[in-house]
């Protein structure tokens, strides 16, 4: 991919489309801008769109796309925000304070509703169940598991599974167990993860170990280090594949990928 294209440099914004035609967006990083342009070609461009937004946390790289998301400016569109972060509405408002951005959230003419969900709570959108779990990350972050008709997708891009957290790994079984696809934090190499204790991110080898333990079918490495270029990300993937091959008997049949902009997975 680094030869024929690029992994891209935007921060997290993931779209999940369900069989019930629900649009679920996980996080609102800078990638939300490009997502908005695509959604404008659908009912969102006519003011008839309904979207559901899950926020893992409110660090800037996960909310900075909101001011530039065109469907928020179209009257008639409706967006429901969900997060276990208790004061996430006020945090989003603060990003739109006049000292930071000239347009407030309320000025954006789409209808926006904000719902706090309890940590560890299940809630439902039609036939889709959504579960959240708190992850080890400075300031707090949450992973989400989305399930529909026996298929499951897990997203947790900001989490640090250091040696102390790995000792308590069994408590994460409900989040990861037998998931079809898991998008997991692999911002650092293994060596960097040792040097950067309490920075809040993991490595590809840790992601692979967790995927193996919980029977994950497909693992996607994500939340890339901003300093990495495409060549470095290629090496992250090749190193992860080498780690899997060296432990092939233990790893089973995990399918391994690394995230890039525009990646589509059908379950």
């Amino acid at each position: 991919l680094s030869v024929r294209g690029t992994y891209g440099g935007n921060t997290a914004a993931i779209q999940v489309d369900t069989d019930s035609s629900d649009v679920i967006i996980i996080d609102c990083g800078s990638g939300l801008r490009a997502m908005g342009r695509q959604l404008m070609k659908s009912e969102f461009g006519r003011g008839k769109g309904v979207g559901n937004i899950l926020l893992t946390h409110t660090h800037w790289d996960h909310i900075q796309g909101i001011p530039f998301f065109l469907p928020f400016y179209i009257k008639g569109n409706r967006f429901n925000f969900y997060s276990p972060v208790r004061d996430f509405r006020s945090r989003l408002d603060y990003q739109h304070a006049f000292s930071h951005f000239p347009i407030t959230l309320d000025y954006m003419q789409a209808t926006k509703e904000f719902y706090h969900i309890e940590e560890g709570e299940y809630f439902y959108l039609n036939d889709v169940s959504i579960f959240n779990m708190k992850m080890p990350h400075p300031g707090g972050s949450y992973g989400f598991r989305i399930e529909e008709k026996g298929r499951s997708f897990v997203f947790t891009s900001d989490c640090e599974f250091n040696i102390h957290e790995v000792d308590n790994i069994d408590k994460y079984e409900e989040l990861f167990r037998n998931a079809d696809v898991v998008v997991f934090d692999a911002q650092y190499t293994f060596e960097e993860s040792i040097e950067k204790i309490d920075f809040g991110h993991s490595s590809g080898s840790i992601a692979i170990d967790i995927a193996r333990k919980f029977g994950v079918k497909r693992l996607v490495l994500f939340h890339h280090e901003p300093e990495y270029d495409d060549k470095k990300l290629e090496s992250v993937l090749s190193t992860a594949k080498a780690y899997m091959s060296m432990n092939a008997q233990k790893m089973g049949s995990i399918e391994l990928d690394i995230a890039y902009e525009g990646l589509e997975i059908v379950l």
Side-chain angles (χ1 to χ4, degrees):
L1 183 64
S2 64
V3 174
R4 69 179 186 270
T6 180
Y7 286 95
N10 280 307
T11 59
I14 290 83
Q15 180 177 336
V16 179
D17 296 323
T18 75
D19 283 350
S20 302
S21 299
D22 291 304
V23 175
I24 301 172
I25 297 170
I26 307 176
D27 281 344
C28 298
S30 61
L32 194 68
R33 179 173 177 269
M35 184 192 299
R37 291 200 304 268
Q38 290 298 315
L39 289 176
M40 289 293 288
K41 300 175 183 178
S42 67
E43 64 269 23
F44 288 94
R46 302 187 296 273
K48 297 181 179 180
V50 178
N52 303 279
I53 298 176
L54 309 178
L55 285 181
T56 63
H57 62 311
T58 58
H59 283 168
W60 191 33
D61 55 325
H62 292 258
I63 63 172
Q64 64 189 154
I66 290 176
F68 311 102
F69 185 58
L70 289 179
F72 282 158
Y73 291 86
I74 306 300
K75 186 176 182 179
N77 286 337
R78 178 181 175 185
F79 291 91
N80 301 308
F81 287 77
Y82 301 91
S83 182
V85 179
R86 288 196 172 275
D87 59 344
F88 74 96
R89 167 66 199 263
S90 63
R91 296 186 188 193
L92 298 183
D93 282 333
Y94 182 63
Q95 181 178 226
H96 289 258
F98 189 73
S99 57
H100 298 156
F101 195 73
I103 297 173
T104 66
L105 269 180
D106 289 335
Y107 180 85
M108 298 176 173
Q109 296 185 40
T111 299
K112 296 172 290 298
E113 301 289 344
F114 299 85
Y115 301 97
H116 173 258
I117 53 178
E118 293 296 331
E119 179 182 330
E121 176 181 287
Y122 282 87
F123 73 97
Y124 294 85
L125 298 172
N126 292 317
D127 294 329
V128 178
S129 73
I130 301 174
F131 170 73
N132 78 84
M133 186 170 187
K134 190 170 185 179
M135 308 303 289
H137 187 69
S141 182
Y142 293 85
F144 286 101
R145 180 185 180 108
I146 302 173
E147 292 191 68
E148 182 184 32
K149 299 178 181 177
R151 296 160 295 171
S152 52
F153 171 75
V154 176
F155 179 83
T156 175
S157 70
D158 286 60
C159 55
E160 180 176 0
F161 280 83
N162 55 36
I163 189 169
H164 303 294
E165 202 64 37
V166 169
D167 287 341
N168 299 308
I169 194 64
D170 287 341
K171 71 180 183 180
Y172 295 95
E173 181 176 2
E174 191 169 5
L175 181 67
F176 294 117
R177 181 184 60 249
N178 298 326
D180 291 293
V181 176
V182 171
V183 177
F184 192 97
D185 188 338
Q187 179 157 328
Y188 299 137
T189 64
F190 181 74
E191 294 77 13
E192 287 171 337
S193 68
I194 295 174
E195 296 172 358
K196 297 182 177 182
I197 300 295
D198 296 331
F199 278 50
H201 297 283
S202 297
S203 66
S205 56
I206 291 295
I208 290 168
D209 286 343
I210 291 173
R212 177 193 62 82
K213 178 175 179 60
F214 292 116
V216 171
K217 300 177 181 65
R218 185 172 183 177
L219 175 65
V220 182
L221 307 178
F222 181 54
H223 208 290
H224 306 318
E225 166 59 45
E227 293 297 320
Y228 286 178
D229 58 16
D230 289 329
K231 185 176 180 181
K232 177 66 173 180
L233 290 176
E234 290 278 327
S235 74
V236 168
L237 180 60
S238 62
T239 300
K241 288 181 175 179
Y243 178 75
M244 285 187 63
S245 65
M246 289 187 296
N247 298 274
Q249 290 184 335
K250 295 191 301 180
M251 293 305 171
S253 57
I254 301 171
E255 185 177 352
L256 181 64
D257 295 299
I258 190 167
Y260 59 87
E261 290 187 22
L263 172 64
E264 294 185 9
I265 298 174
V266 179
L267 295 182

